[in-house]
Amino acid sequence: MAKTNKPGAVTAVAPVAAASVLQQLQAQSGLCAPASPARKRFDKLVSELERQRGELRAWAEALPRWHERHQSQLAPLLAQRIELDVALVELLDHSDATIKLAKSDRAVLSELLCQLAGPLIEAGRVELKPLYDRHSPQDYDADMAETDAMFKQVLGAAFGLSPEDVEAMDSPDAVFEQAQARMHQQQEHVRQRKARRQQRERAKQPADEPPPLRELYRRLAASLHPDRARDAVDGQRRTVLMQRLNASYKAGDLIGLIELQVEIGLLDAAGVDALTDARLQQYNRELSRQCEEVARELAQVEQGFCADYGLDPARRLKPQQLDKLLARCKREVEADLAIMRADLRGLQQPQAFKRWLKQQRQLGDEDARFAQDDAGYWY
């Protein structure tokens, strides 16, 4: 039977955990009669929203732990890899001066050295600039200015920025930030148009079916208002619940309002079953909107995490997988370090260095052939 508590009849009820609210609302569903499509969709949307919110909470708990472990366990290994990269650049420069090489081999050596040194210099190892300048047709600063100009033009064309706007910007980062700002403006414009459309749809609702958020807010506010408190303890509890109510209403959080209803005894599974299909459809529209918003928030959290730590954004990550991800990253970096140390030891010998350089030249020739073959195809 549906709960029919009158406003002000709230009794001292122990708070119900958010995770158990959905179970309470679904417990009696379908026992008396088959659930309607609107009721089934309500259950599905509430389940999905609870899952999404749980995943957001899991990210909030997992990220500090990841950052702490990354700094203590993985960052030192990455720092070692940088030092080995620097050592390899210095070894290449030394070998160029001390080992007799063919002209073509010296060209390969110089190209390899610049490819390795460029990112290191950009990351702050400016002591490698003289080595880069010695092996490059033009100095590092000129190369970077040329590369930045090219990237600015490519980004500007990709995001629809005018040549004048692109030219006025200092760096590719500035172009990218401007492009992102424009994209966010477009997304906000789409969101506002959608919100206006939803507002027009809500305005067409019959007068006896007020919007669900406003109706729930009024009902809960009448029940929870501190003026109805029986004593100081009850008044304090009502004040806390009213704060939650106001926050949920301001955020458009239908689930938050439903949870409050369950906690204070104004709603149970039978109460949901007793709602009309028209009212359930209103609830479902609000729940669907919330699901979309939380899904966007989840995507932003995941994309930001991948960007911060240089991870592949195309791969879907779950917060529960971060410990395994960190362990795998450690194993991979440790394996890289072992190979790099062995290579550095072996490359001290001139003959081994020449064989290695020949292998690098062959790999470069294969990459060039693949690139040429791909250029002949349209995708």
Side-chain angles (χ1 to χ4, degrees), residues 9-63:
V10 181
T11 57
V13 179
V16 179
S20 70
V21 170
L22 177 60
Q23 297 173 358
Q24 291 194 33
L25 295 182
Q26 291 184 321
Q28 301 176 19
S29 178
L31 291 182
C32 299
S36 68
R39 177 63 160 104
K40 290 178 180 178
R41 178 157 176 76
F42 174 87
D43 288 345
K44 182 178 179 180
L45 287 169
V46 172
S47 296
E48 176 62 13
L49 191 53
E50 283 293 299
R51 183 197 66 78
Q52 291 174 330
R53 290 169 67 184
E55 190 168 341
L56 268 181
R57 289 192 295 269
W59 273 111
E61 294 171 359
L63 287 177

Side-chain angles (χ1 to χ4, degrees), residues 299 302-317:
E302 186 176 333
Q303 290 166 7
F305 173 73
C306 290
D308 288 344
Y309 292 97
L311 301 171
D312 182 5
R315 180 178 180 180
R316 293 300 310 274
L317 293 173

